[in-house]
Amino acid sequence: MTDVKRISLEGIYGSVPGVKPREVAHFRARTFKSGNSLALRLPAGLGLEPGVEMELRVEDGQHYEFWPIETPKRKFAIDKVWGSATDLKLLDPSERAFEERPLWRGDDADKEAK
């Protein structure tokens, strides 16, 4: 039977191109009872905002990993405002005409003022 030598790559990360070591920070946190659930108080050093929904992964009942869930952007619901402005009237085409005027350009206005 031959001896198997195990080599740790931790010491050689700096010399391997394209391989970057993971940044690891250690914090202490305390669990507490919150209603019928168990909660984990997270340190402010993590930079999380209150109210962020998180996804939790549990491996073998021992290792926990969590990350924020991206919330979908709110969409405008036209059905909630449709028909709410019943007293508006359409404009006549003659009311839609605008007087021509020169366009304002910031740099030109500064030169004329001098």
Side-chain angles (χ1 to χ4, degrees):
M1 192 169 181
T2 61
D3 291 330
V4 176
K5 292 186 179 180
R6 296 183 187 261
I7 300 172
S8 172
L9 297 177
E10 288 180 5
I12 62 169
Y13 272 129
S15 61
V16 178
V19 177
K20 179 183 173 195
R22 295 187 324 177
E23 291 183 27
V24 178
H26 295 275
F27 295 95
R28 284 190 166 240
R30 183 178 303 263
T31 59
F32 63 96
K33 190 81 170 158
S34 177
N36 288 333
S37 299
L38 188 64
L40 177 66
R41 188 178 312 273
L42 298 173
L46 292 176
L48 297 172
E49 295 292 325
V52 174
E53 189 174 354
M54 307 292 280
E55 176 131 356
L56 174 66
R57 181 177 150 211
V58 182
E59 255 185 62
D60 300 328
Q62 296 179 8
H63 304 282
Y64 304 95
E65 182 179 9
F66 62 92
W67 56 90
I69 297 174
E70 287 190 29
T71 55
K73 293 183 179 180
R74 294 182 63 179
K75 295 181 181 176
F76 181 75
I78 190 67
D79 60 331
K80 299 204 179 197
V81 294
W82 182 259
S84 62
T86 56
D87 59 338
L88 293 178
K89 296 178 183 151
L90 293 175
L91 292 174
D92 288 338
S94 63
E95 294 174 327
R96 295 176 187 258
F98 293 97
E99 294 178 18
E100 289 294 326
R101 58 182 180 177
L103 294 176
W104 179 79
R105 289 189 177 86
D107 54 344
D108 292 342
D110 292 338
K111 290 177 186 175
E112 289 177 12
K114 291 182 182 179

